[in-house]
Amino acid sequence: MGQHVRVAVIGSGFGGLGAAVRLRREGITDFVVLERADSVGGTWRDNSYPGCACDVPSHLYSFSFAPNPDWPRTFSGQSHIRAYLEHVADTFGLRPHVRLNHEVRLMRWDNDALRWEIETSRGTLSADVVVSATGALSDPRIPEIPGLAEFPGKVFHSARWDHGYDLRGKRVAMIGTGASAIQIVPAIQPEVARLTLFQRTPPWVMPRGDRAISGAERRLHRTLPFTGAARRRLLWGIRELQVQAFTKRPNQLGLVESLAKANMKKAIKDPALRAKLTPSYRIGCKRILLSSAYYPALARPNVDLVASGLAEVRGSTLVAADGTETEADAVVFGTGFHVTDMPIAERVVGADGITLAEAWKDGMESLRGATAAGFPNWMTIIGPNTGLGNSSMILMIESQLNYMADYVRQLDALGGRAALGARPSAVRAWNHRVQERMKRTVWNTGGCTSWYLDDNGRNTTIWPGTTTEFRRATREVDLSEYEVIRAAGPEQTTAAAGPEQTTEKEAVR
């Protein structure tokens, strides 16, 4: 076995780099960040498709402890966000801890040594604690389409864009109408000969309202940092006020639907096309997409909308579920990621010898979005039911970093060789309360099928409350929700950390 470290962080996106910064601030320098790619950046490294940008305002989509006064636009593009993450890695001295081209192949808990044995593509190591920050949007999902393997043209996923392939003058098929597709379509429409969009379900689309941030604004934020903080807090507050409509009063979203329809009508004059583009579900059930260019692009003469999913490929002919046939030179899949069936779960083997994927076969479950029963000293950033439908995931990540920091503090306080294992009863209680709250949300009642739901129809991805509630819930570790596991000895192996009960705290009322 190779190097042993106190903490091994998996992934170098926002979650992984945030964890590394927090560990250093806690005085912990004995850690590594294992990254399978050749650079940091996570999803903002992988997604470099034309038009790629964030749909959360720049000043809210950045760490509170690393404000950036020089964002060039109100909604930043991929290159600027990636550059920001590189800047964070440099500013906080993270480079010596990062191990690039180290893909984690297996993590196995050693019950005797009370540590994780980790196999990577570049060797082995061990760690007392594993922080998995691989993210939900890291492994692309391409559906199994009959005949796709025999397609003579080019095929790739939006998150694996082939920049060496020239789309100019080509017949291109875009599969999917999610957050990536609505950015790709207007970006490539002017240069392709023909663009065919295969749409299974139309999204609700609102104007993006993007603009350049003036030099005067940037100078102000540089000179008076509190102005940037105030801007961030205003953006956060507006989104906190929106949460009630999503989680408790979905019927209040009717006005927003009217605004979305008016936005569509302004760009789409053809009533037949508008009918195809009008969703039949409540707005917010799927993520509301932001674009001021998507609808105008669909109205262009070289764009066709097929209101049906791709069902079959016959040579260079694409056949939709409704029988529509389209000739194509290239197929681009904007079909999302493995979210409720994260591949990393197949590589984590816990105390009982089963993988996390096996433990989660009936649906992902964790305690406070962080720890899983049967997997001591393992935690995840952006775990089950930590996603947001209307705000910045950086807020949730920072809350989980608070929990991670206190988790490590608690281990240090225990002393000796010890581990913390989430009680199954605590995990069940937390998830029961989350799912009860989920029942009345727009994501469960809005009448759509989204990637928020797993194969059993359970919403295991979204947090049914405000970011303030989640921060309270993850402010510190409640030891009554854990068992203390000691190294094997004459009289002790496992001890209760507290009474056999769970404390729900303020967040999951």
Coordinates of all heavy atoms in Angstrom, one line a residue, residues 243-278:
V243 N -38.6 30.2 -3.0 CA -38.6 28.7 -2.6 C -40.0 28.3 -2.2 O -40.5 27.2 -2.5 CB -37.6 28.4 -1.5 CG1 -37.8 27.0 -1.0 CG2 -36.2 28.6 -2.0
Q244 N -40.8 29.1 -1.5 CA -42.1 28.8 -1.0 C -43.0 28.3 -2.2 O -43.7 27.3 -2.0 CB -42.8 30.0 -0.3 CG -42.2 30.3 1.0 CD -42.6 29.4 2.1 OE1 -43.6 28.7 2.0 NE2 -41.9 29.4 3.2
A245 N -42.9 29.0 -3.3 CA -43.8 28.6 -4.5 C -43.4 27.2 -5.0 O -44.3 26.5 -5.4 CB -43.6 29.6 -5.6
F246 N -42.1 26.9 -5.0 CA -41.7 25.6 -5.5 C -42.0 24.5 -4.5 O -42.3 23.4 -4.9 CB -40.2 25.6 -5.7 CG -39.7 26.4 -6.9 CD1 -39.4 27.7 -6.8 CD2 -39.6 25.8 -8.2 CE1 -39.1 28.5 -8.0 CE2 -39.2 26.5 -9.3 CZ -38.9 27.8 -9.2
T247 N -41.9 24.8 -3.2 CA -42.0 23.7 -2.2 C -43.3 23.5 -1.6 O -43.7 22.5 -1.1 CB -40.9 23.9 -1.1 OG1 -41.1 25.2 -0.5 CG2 -39.5 23.9 -1.7
K248 N -44.1 24.6 -1.5 CA -45.3 24.6 -0.7 C -46.6 25.0 -1.5 O -47.7 24.6 -1.2 CB -45.2 25.4 0.6 CG -44.2 24.9 1.5 CD -44.1 25.7 2.8 CE -43.1 25.2 3.8 NZ -43.0 26.1 5.0
R249 N -46.4 25.9 -2.5 CA -47.5 26.5 -3.2 C -47.3 26.5 -4.7 O -47.2 27.6 -5.3 CB -47.8 27.9 -2.7 CG -48.0 28.0 -1.2 CD -48.3 29.4 -0.7 NE -48.5 29.5 0.7 CZ -47.5 29.7 1.6 NH1 -46.3 29.9 1.2 NH2 -47.8 29.8 2.9
P250 N -47.2 25.3 -5.3 CA -46.9 25.3 -6.7 C -48.0 26.0 -7.6 O -47.7 26.5 -8.7 CB -46.9 23.8 -7.1 CG -46.6 23.1 -5.8 CD -47.2 24.0 -4.7
N251 N -49.2 26.1 -7.1 CA -50.2 26.8 -7.9 C -49.9 28.3 -8.1 O -50.5 28.9 -9.0 CB -51.6 26.6 -7.2 CG -52.1 25.2 -7.3 OD1 -51.7 24.5 -8.2 ND2 -53.0 24.8 -6.4
Q252 N -49.1 28.8 -7.2 CA -48.7 30.2 -7.4 C -47.8 30.5 -8.6 O -47.6 31.6 -9.0 CB -48.0 30.7 -6.1 CG -48.8 30.8 -4.9 CD -48.1 31.4 -3.7 OE1 -46.9 31.5 -3.7 NE2 -48.8 31.7 -2.6
L253 N -47.4 29.4 -9.2 CA -46.5 29.5 -10.4 C -47.2 29.8 -11.7 O -46.6 29.9 -12.7 CB -45.6 28.3 -10.5 CG -44.6 28.0 -9.4 CD1 -44.1 26.6 -9.4 CD2 -43.5 29.0 -9.4
G254 N -48.5 29.9 -11.6 CA -49.3 30.1 -12.8 C -48.9 31.4 -13.5 O -48.9 31.5 -14.8
L255 N -48.6 32.5 -12.7 CA -48.3 33.8 -13.3 C -46.9 33.6 -14.0 O -46.8 34.2 -15.1 CB -48.1 34.8 -12.2 CG -47.6 36.2 -12.6 CD1 -48.5 36.8 -13.6 CD2 -47.5 37.1 -11.4
V256 N -46.0 32.9 -13.5 CA -44.7 32.7 -14.1 C -44.9 32.0 -15.5 O -44.3 32.3 -16.5 CB -43.8 31.9 -13.2 CG1 -42.4 31.8 -13.9 CG2 -43.7 32.5 -11.9
E257 N -45.9 31.0 -15.5 CA -46.2 30.3 -16.8 C -46.6 31.3 -17.8 O -46.3 31.2 -19.0 CB -47.2 29.2 -16.6 CG -46.7 28.0 -15.9 CD -47.7 26.9 -15.8 OE1 -48.8 27.0 -16.4 OE2 -47.5 25.9 -15.1
S258 N -47.5 32.2 -17.4 CA -48.0 33.2 -18.3 C -46.9 34.1 -18.9 O -46.9 34.4 -20.1 CB -49.0 34.1 -17.6 OG -50.1 33.4 -17.2
L259 N -45.9 34.5 -18.1 CA -44.8 35.2 -18.5 C -43.9 34.4 -19.5 O -43.4 34.9 -20.5 CB -43.9 35.7 -17.4 CG -44.6 36.6 -16.4 CD1 -43.7 36.9 -15.2 CD2 -44.9 38.0 -17.1
A260 N -43.8 33.1 -19.2 CA -43.0 32.2 -20.1 C -43.7 32.1 -21.5 O -43.0 32.1 -22.5 CB -42.8 30.9 -19.5
K261 N -45.0 32.0 -21.5 CA -45.7 31.9 -22.7 C -45.6 33.2 -23.5 O -45.5 33.1 -24.8 CB -47.2 31.5 -22.5 CG -47.4 30.1 -22.0 CD -48.9 29.8 -21.7 CE -49.1 28.4 -21.2 NZ -50.5 28.2 -20.8
A262 N -45.7 34.3 -22.9 CA -45.6 35.6 -23.5 C -44.2 35.7 -24.2 O -44.0 36.2 -25.3 CB -45.8 36.7 -22.6
N263 N -43.2 35.2 -23.5 CA -41.8 35.2 -24.0 C -41.7 34.4 -25.2 O -41.1 34.8 -26.2 CB -40.9 34.7 -22.9 CG -39.4 34.6 -23.4 OD1 -38.8 35.5 -23.9 ND2 -38.9 33.4 -23.2
M264 N -42.3 33.2 -25.2 CA -42.3 32.4 -26.4 C -43.0 33.0 -27.6 O -42.6 33.0 -28.7 CB -43.0 31.0 -26.1 CG -43.0 30.0 -27.2 SD -44.2 28.7 -27.0 CE -43.7 28.1 -25.4
K265 N -44.2 33.6 -27.3 CA -45.0 34.2 -28.4 C -44.3 35.3 -29.1 O -44.5 35.5 -30.3 CB -46.3 34.6 -27.8 CG -47.4 35.1 -28.9 CD -48.7 35.3 -28.2 CE -49.7 35.7 -29.3 NZ -51.1 36.0 -28.7
K266 N -43.5 36.0 -28.3 CA -42.8 37.1 -28.9 C -41.8 36.7 -30.0 O -41.5 37.4 -31.0 CB -42.0 37.9 -27.8 CG -41.3 39.2 -28.3 CD -40.9 40.0 -27.1 CE -39.8 39.3 -26.3 NZ -39.3 40.3 -25.2
A267 N -41.2 35.5 -29.8 CA -40.2 35.0 -30.7 C -40.7 34.0 -31.7 O -40.2 33.9 -32.9 CB -39.0 34.3 -30.0
I268 N -41.7 33.2 -31.3 CA -42.3 32.2 -32.2 C -43.7 32.6 -32.7 O -44.6 32.6 -32.0 CB -42.4 30.8 -31.4 CG1 -41.1 30.4 -30.8 CG2 -43.0 29.7 -32.4 CD1 -40.0 30.1 -31.8
K269 N -43.7 33.0 -34.0 CA -45.0 33.5 -34.6 C -45.9 32.4 -35.1 O -47.1 32.5 -35.2 CB -44.7 34.5 -35.7 CG -43.8 35.6 -35.3 CD -44.3 36.4 -34.1 CE -43.4 37.6 -33.8 NZ -43.9 38.3 -32.6
D270 N -45.3 31.2 -35.4 CA -46.0 30.1 -36.0 C -46.8 29.4 -34.9 O -46.2 28.8 -34.0 CB -45.0 29.1 -36.6 CG -45.7 27.9 -37.2 OD1 -47.0 27.9 -37.2 OD2 -45.0 27.0 -37.8
P271 N -48.2 29.4 -34.9 CA -49.0 28.8 -33.9 C -48.7 27.3 -33.7 O -48.7 26.8 -32.6 CB -50.4 29.1 -34.3 CG -50.3 30.2 -35.2 CD -49.0 30.1 -35.9
A272 N -48.4 26.6 -34.8 CA -48.2 25.2 -34.8 C -46.9 24.9 -34.0 O -46.8 23.9 -33.2 CB -48.1 24.6 -36.2
L273 N -45.9 25.7 -34.3 CA -44.6 25.5 -33.6 C -44.7 25.9 -32.1 O -44.2 25.2 -31.3 CB -43.5 26.4 -34.3 CG -42.1 26.3 -33.7 CD1 -41.6 24.8 -33.6 CD2 -41.1 27.2 -34.4
R274 N -45.5 26.9 -31.8 CA -45.7 27.3 -30.4 C -46.4 26.2 -29.7 O -46.1 25.9 -28.5 CB -46.6 28.6 -30.3 CG -45.8 29.8 -30.5 CD -46.5 31.0 -29.8 NE -47.9 31.1 -30.2 CZ -48.3 31.8 -31.2 NH1 -47.5 32.5 -32.0 NH2 -49.6 31.9 -31.5
A275 N -47.3 25.5 -30.3 CA -48.0 24.4 -29.7 C -47.1 23.3 -29.3 O -47.2 22.6 -28.3 CB -49.2 23.9 -30.6
K276 N -46.1 23.0 -30.2 CA -45.1 21.9 -30.0 C -44.2 22.3 -28.8 O -43.7 21.5 -28.1 CB -44.3 21.7 -31.2 CG -45.0 21.0 -32.4 CD -44.1 20.8 -33.5 CE -44.8 20.2 -34.7 NZ -43.9 20.0 -35.9
L277 N -44.0 23.6 -28.7 CA -43.0 24.1 -27.7 C -43.7 24.4 -26.3 O -42.9 24.7 -25.4 CB -42.3 25.4 -28.2 CG -41.4 25.2 -29.4 CD1 -41.0 26.6 -29.9 CD2 -40.2 24.4 -29.0
T278 N -45.0 24.3 -26.2 CA -45.7 24.6 -25.0 C -45.7 23.4 -24.1 O -46.4 22.4 -24.4 CB -47.1 25.2 -25.2 OG1 -47.0 26.3 -26.1 CG2 -47.7 25.5 -23.9

